[in-house]
Amino acid sequence: MSPRDRRDFLKLCVTSTPTLFLGDRANAFEGFEARTGQKSPRTPTSIDRYVDPLPILKRLEPLRKHGRTVVYQVRMTEFKQRLHSQLPPTKVWGYEGMYPGPIIEATSKIPVEILWKNQLPQKHIFPIDTRIHGAMSPTPAVRTVPHLHGSRTKSESDGLPERWFTPGHSEIYHYPNEQQAATLWYHDHAVGITRLNVYAGLSGFYLLRDEQELSMNLPSGKYEIPLVMQDRTLDAEAQLVYAPTNEDGKMLAPGTWGPEFFGELPVVNGAIFPYLDVEPRQYRLRMLNGANSRFFNLYLNLATRPTDIPSLVTFHQIGTDGGLLANSATLKNLLLGPGERADLIVDFAGLDGKTVTLSNTASVPYPGWAMLQTMHAPLNELMQFRVSRASSSTSKPFSLSLKSPLTRLDPAIAEITRDFVLSERLDTEGRSLGVRINDKGYDDPITEFPRLGSLEKWRFVNMTDDAHPMHLHLVQFQILERQGFDFGAMVQGRLELVGVPRPPAANEAGWKDTAIVSPRDVLTILIRWDGYTGRYVHHCHMLEHEDNDLMRPFEVVAGK
Ligand code: C2O
Ligand code: CU
């Protein structure tokens, strides 16, 4: 299908879908088989939903210990992996032969050392746009640099974008783990091609534990399920296609940079439309939006037929990107931008025999314009939980009223307020040339030098039409508030806040390393510069944006 035909085809699919909760192609195909007694043809867009069990991610075994340090080896390789049982295997990149990578489990205050080895082939899976900063020739096509997202690490081990290394080379990175229990994740960060390397498969969980968390009686073992949600597009041979979309919804030629990428199929833990058999009890779900550009606005739906009115299961969020919340938040839906995590408790008790579908209402791009909704394949469902097993444990449930210690940062002692204006450059035909921060590119000289030990207020001012999940390396910050601003005044360079400031919602009132700034809105965060001096970066975690040019370096300098 040419991109044009494909667009028309998608448009057709969407316009013939009467409600948001439709699009249950699996049922349609079951009907086909029942009527005709024939197996329906399988292409990536006609596979059955919920026929494959959710992959339970493996934990990585350490290589050895030296002193207190736990040492791991992680090799990056190319291999084939089946993403759905009705499709042939897909060529991917992964860590230790797995996509997503294995779970690295660490303990607070016990250092980890990882020997990262690039054993990838010399040829990239995807064509590379050499017009992007850091990807210009003669830069080698295949190069990687792993970053532990959410960690407080020295600059040398942070995985800065330009510290990439090529096949046959390796790096030893040190992770002190001097921070509280949290859902961290590792992924590739090579400058100019992060979107391609992560899309090829280079990401995984890093679960940091501590005494406090372990003493809380949280669901653990097989009742603790990390879930990384991504989206992928496959060709007729089930091979990965990376074709980004322009702002007008048009698909661009493979290899060209585009402002967003949206895949046609949901992939959870490396499987398309998987299911998980669960017991009627509490589970802890560690959610990660590992998609390139797609936001997920998740809800748990008990309705099984597309024509049913959605029936929502309430759940609880107990932790954010950087650790446990002081109080759990009761939710019916959860918005996660790329890079964000949420630690959830879902109670399947009383739902025996029922099926709960993890569903999504986030538009693309997010929050999107109605006109654009017709341009992209809907991605309304991700996976199913089937409450089919008998309860096998009698352990007493985790108490949601448990309080965790959390110090609120005090805006009154902020030493400085720094503003970061996000604006998009367009060519004469209205095509995006990328979003920039304060009209500076990644390679422009550093303009921010925070002092170690100080507290700062950062304001992200969003002049674009998309929401952006803004991420800082080195620190966990707190959201102070969000507020509107006068767009006209801002065009003339004056930031005038309008309306009332909105404090963070209950499920965002904790440690964050990635936070969403909505279009025409200001996000204000408080940062305590703890840890190390040195060079780091901050950027939008939509990987297309990060690669061009929504990323800036900063340097933490010694205190007075
Ligand atoms: Cu998750 Cu700078 O990255
Ligand atoms: Cu962005």
Side-chain angles (χ1 to χ4, degrees), residues 438-470:
N438 291 340
D439 209 24
K440 290 196 163 57
Y442 180 59
D443 293 330
D444 284 320
I446 297 185
T447 40
E448 283 74 37
F449 297 90
R451 278 192 326 103
L452 191 67
S454 71
L455 187 98
E456 294 192 349
K457 210 191 262 191
W458 281 27
R459 298 193 292 189
F460 292 97
V461 182
N462 186 356
M463 303 210 25
T464 76
D465 295 316
D466 294 332
H468 303 275
M470 299 307 299

Side-chain angles (χ1 to χ4, degrees), residues 159-375:
L160 286 175
E162 50 284 331
R163 287 193 170 243
W164 46 262
F165 47 100
T166 51
H169 293 87
S170 57
E171 286 289 341
I172 297 173
Y173 282 178
H174 301 271
Y175 304 103
N177 297 318
E178 291 284 345
Q179 61 192 100
Q180 69 189 82
T183 314
L184 309 182
W185 67 299
Y186 59 95
H187 62 78
D188 200 70
H189 216 307
V191 66
I193 52 167
T194 294
R195 67 194 186 291
L196 304 174
N197 288 358
V198 174
Y199 188 73
L202 294 176
S203 63
F205 278 103
Y206 185 105
L207 300 180
L208 187 57
R209 315 260 182 209
D210 67 14
E211 288 298 322
Q212 198 229 334
E213 182 210 9
L214 292 171
S215 70
M216 285 171 68
N217 190 34
L218 281 158
S220 60
K222 60 179 174 174
Y223 305 117
E224 181 190 26
I225 314 278
L227 292 175
V228 48
M229 296 163 290
Q230 298 175 313
D231 54 346
R232 295 289 183 266
T233 297
L234 301 178
D235 66 14
E237 279 79 51
Q239 300 310 301
L240 290 171
V241 176
Y242 181 84
T245 334
N246 201 10
E247 293 287 8
D248 57 6
K250 291 190 180 122
M251 253 177 233
L252 297 162
T256 335
W257 177 86
E260 264 119 23
F261 170 85
F262 301 112
E264 297 172 349
L265 294 163
V267 181
V268 185
N269 289 3
I272 298 168
F273 288 124
Y275 72 88
L276 179 69
D277 285 318
V278 294
E279 298 174 17
R281 54 157 287 147
Q282 279 182 342
Y283 277 75
R284 180 181 186 190
L285 305 181
R286 316 211 46 181
M287 315 293 282
L288 158 63
N289 181 343
N292 279 40
S293 276
R294 187 181 289 273
F295 283 59
F296 292 107
N297 192 3
L298 302 165
Y299 64 101
L300 293 168
N301 191 4
L302 277 167
T304 46
R305 283 175 314 176
T307 45
D308 290 345
I309 292 169
S311 160
L312 306 192
V313 177
T314 301
F315 53 94
H316 306 274
Q317 184 168 344
I318 56 165
T320 46
D321 304 331
L324 293 168
L325 285 159
N327 301 296
S328 66
T330 302
L331 302 173
K332 280 211 185 315
N333 69 292
L334 167 71
L335 180 67
L336 284 183
E340 286 190 294
R341 288 88 70 210
D343 204 341
L344 303 182
I345 298 288
V346 178
D347 198 349
F348 296 105
L351 298 176
D352 306 61
K354 299 244 160 57
T355 297
V356 178
T357 306
L358 178 65
S359 307
N360 163 44
T361 58
S363 51
V364 285
Y366 188 83
W369 305 336
M371 181 268 283
L372 290 177
Q373 301 312 307
T374 57
M375 301 292 192

Side-chain angles (χ1 to χ4, degrees), residues 147 149 185 187 189 471 473 539 541:
H147 165 61
H149 179 130
W185 67 299
H187 62 78
H189 216 307
H471 169 52
H473 286 212
H539 57 85
H541 219 287

Side-chain angles (χ1 to χ4, degrees), residues 51 75 370 437 452 513:
V51 291
R75 291 160 291 194
I437 299 177
L452 191 67
D513 55 47

